[in-house]
Amino acid sequence: MAANLQFFWGLFLALSLHSIIHSAPSPHVYIVYLGLNHIHDPTLTSNFHHQLLSSVFGSEEDAKRSILYSYKHSFSGFSAKLNSTQATALAKMEGVISVFRSKTHKLHTTRSWDFLGLTLDKSTDQVIPLQLGFGDDVIVGVFDSGVWPESESFQEEPGMRPIPLTWKGRCEKGDKFDPETKCNRKLIGARYFLKGFEAEHESLNMSGNPEYRSPRDFIGHGTHTASTAVGSAVKNANFFGFGQGTARGGAPRARLAVYKACWGKNFVPVCSEADIMAAFDYALHDGVHVISASIGLDPPLLPFFASMAGIGSFHAMQLGITVVFSAGNAGPDPSLVTNVAPWSISVAASSVDRTFPTQILGDNNFSVTGESFITSDINAKLVEATAYFNDGFCVPNNTKKNVIIKPGRIILCFSTYGPSSSLGAAAGAKSINASALIFVGPMTRQNPDVVDPVLPTVLVNYEQGTKIRDYLSQFQNKITLNKASRIRCYVAQNPIADTGDTTFDGILAGGSMKLADPFDIGAGHINPLKALDPGLVYEMKTSDYILFLCNVGYTQENIQKMVLLFPGLDTSCSRVQRSSANVNYPSISVSNLQSTMTIRRTVRNVGQNKNSIYFARVVEPDGVEVSIWPKVIFFSWFQDENAYYVTLKPLKKSQGRYDFGEIVWSDGFHRVRSPLVVRVNTVADSIDSIADTSTIK
Ligand SMILES: *[C@@H]1O[C@H](CO)[C@@H](O)[C@H](O)[C@H]1NC(C)=O
Ligand SMILES: *[C@@H]1O[C@H](CO)[C@@H](O)[C@H](O)[C@H]1NC(C)=O
Ligand SMILES: *[C@@H]1O[C@H](CO)[C@@H](O)[C@H](O)[C@H]1NC(C)=O
Ligand SMILES: *[C@@H]1O[C@H](CO)[C@@H](O)[C@H](O)[C@H]1NC(C)=O
Ligand SMILES: *[C@@H]1O[C@H](CO)[C@@H](O)[C@H](O)[C@H]1NC(C)=O
């Protein structure tokens, strides 16, 4: 209980500290990015960084004092405390690609894997052998708030092979974290990065901030994300008795390497970009195969090479390492997705197929069903927040003067009066000694928040909330909250079609009544089993990234500093006057279709059958004629790759909106679908000219 309340107060504290930071003209932490590490000797690279830095400090000692990290293992760059004059001077130097302020990032985010089709064996409740088979000898690096190493999720599975010899990482010793006893064949790496946090926020030793100066997880978020990704199977897991079942990650056999770059600051997790860059520098060198990072900044989006997400994942991609970011928690309004570089994967969560219904019962057979995690029935008088709080805004210290507040009431609080989060409202209701909260919020946030440790809370939508208020105005009476019982369904709300491939047919957008389009759910829901045998793949090659970078405004000079060069690779931008629509991305989107245009894609057959024939099927976006050539593609032992061309012809005048279609290639067994998104714009405008150029420069 205390932790949650303090978490709440921490939010206020963070807001007030924000203004203090801005008024102080002290140096800030900057990140200086230099591209690939061409010198393959970390000591020499780091000497070079000191030299660059000394030139803006005038003295080597001052330079050494200001530097936090020298990024020298997997790419080249450094972070240091600089004033704006020094930052500007560095940005002008030969070899420097970008200089940007280290920003403070936020952390984002038992049945998920069943929901996605990876079911447990019904007779034994064990993970099916297929799921166990994949993930063996895959090392997943998790960038987050650390790990709770004693958790059952991170114990060795029987029969795990020794740690792969290619692994160069290690477990670092620190506060309450002894690698000798904590690390094993499952948890094979644990590092922590703290210099950025301490330079930008506060020393961990100050002000009694509870944290561990080690990879140990204080916040809990890192343990949650790591166990979701690679946790071993743990039977009888539950949340205060709810959601009972076997918890396990998507790849329960995979190894875990933890990179702690997020720290609790009075219970609020914050991640310094300088620390996350260091995590990338080490993880790529240690030998992880996949990186999972539920970290990000809210929009506006930043230039790719002025952010840890863009830079870190670009170098990972060049080494064949997949980086998976969270898409952020800022929805459900449109255009709030983050971590969108085309060389990393951005994953959004949807709701789950189970609910936690709670009956709200009153006199005269009054009944409304909300959702909650309450664990026992509550019987008390109901009061609307407007009776006790100024303007019905139910937060602490906002109670009406001259009103006698009776303890033990159930408070009905509308998010439209405020606050918008049930956590804030629970703190408000708790401060007046209420027995429970009924929080009225939008349908899109139907799953109950975990606020019960603060105060038992039932979530209802506006329609239900209005019914309860009408009931209250009629009867002024007692109400009973019936303890939640879990029901599995959710079908009317989110009918994920079970056809195997990803699809958005029939899914409602963000809990509204509008059908979801690719802007709501991207390419669709993932199907992990089908993904093991996709049939065809769209490969992005170095030339595709060069085409992309040229199109967003990077010069050949900068591209050559970042891209792993090989003989015959063409890095020139001038020749590449073609549209970025030709980047070999599996989805096709054209934001500005002025006249007929043709787009090229290349598909590679990765199916078991080398001799196969694929047929195209098209769903045209409204007002666009789509033709595909060829319509049939033949693959053989000698030709596993084929190009095809999509011609788009506008049939209507500009309507200022996007229309959606799809292209599906099928051999009768596999179904390879690409979303097609087109905005006809027969009145030319300049939306194509938004260039992604680096800061300061
Ligand atoms: C930044 O520091 C340098 C000394 O290293 C100093 O000459 C310069 O005036 C400072 N600039 C600002 C804006 O404080
Ligand atoms: C903070 O505490 C750690 C050990 O807990 C110690 O090594 C370090 O020197 C301390 N730092 C400061 C600034 O006091
Ligand atoms: C409540 O429901 C019961 C059973 O359905 C019914 O007999 C009774 O008349 C209802 N009472 C009111 C006030 O509607
Ligand atoms: C606000 O309320 C909290 C909790 O009830 C209390 O600790 C705090 O002193 C109050 N602050 C002010 C400014 O009244
Ligand atoms: C809530 O209960 C506490 C402890 O019993 C009491 O000190 C406080 O005055 C009560 N607050 C209100 C608003 O009733």
Side-chain angles (χ1 to χ4, degrees), residues 11 15 177:
L11 290 176
L15 286 177
F177 195 99

Side-chain angles (χ1 to χ4, degrees), residues 456-469:
T457 300
V458 185
L459 197 62
V460 298
N461 66 28
Y462 292 121
E463 193 188 333
Q464 296 164 323
T466 308
K467 263 192 198 162
I468 299 171
R469 194 174 62 172

Side-chain angles (χ1 to χ4, degrees), residues 112 115 239 349-358 370-373 420-423 439 441-452 457-461 464 486-487 489-490 493-494 510-511:
S112 307
F115 181 49
F239 178 76
S350 69
S351 50
V352 295
D353 60 341
R354 57 181 173 185
T355 62
F356 300 88
T358 303
E371 280 203 72
S372 83
F373 289 124
S420 59
S421 92
S422 55
L423 184 62
F439 186 73
M443 268 178 81
T444 48
R445 306 205 185 111
Q446 264 187 342
N447 277 339
D449 285 334
V450 186
V451 294
D452 283 7
T457 300
V458 185
L459 197 62
V460 298
N461 66 28
Q464 296 164 323
R486 190 189 71 192
I487 290 183
C489 64
Y490 230 57
Q493 182 66 23
N494 226 346

Side-chain angles (χ1 to χ4, degrees), residues 25 56-58 62 83-86:
V56 298
F57 272 98
D62 287 349
N83 67 27
S84 56
T85 321
Q86 293 161 331

Side-chain angles (χ1 to χ4, degrees), residues 272-284:
S272 152
E273 200 163 20
D275 290 333
I276 306 169
M277 285 283 279
F280 269 111
D281 192 33
Y282 275 92
L284 304 191

Side-chain angles (χ1 to χ4, degrees), residues 399 405-407 430-433:
T399 47
I405 295 175
K406 302 235 171 84
K430 175 86 185 171
S431 75
I432 58 163
N433 299 329

Side-chain angles (χ1 to χ4, degrees), residues 9 396-397 431:
W9 291 115
N397 303 334
S431 75

Side-chain angles (χ1 to χ4, degrees), residues 158 184 227 317 473 486:
N184 55 40
S227 60
M317 174 273 292
S473 61
R486 190 189 71 192

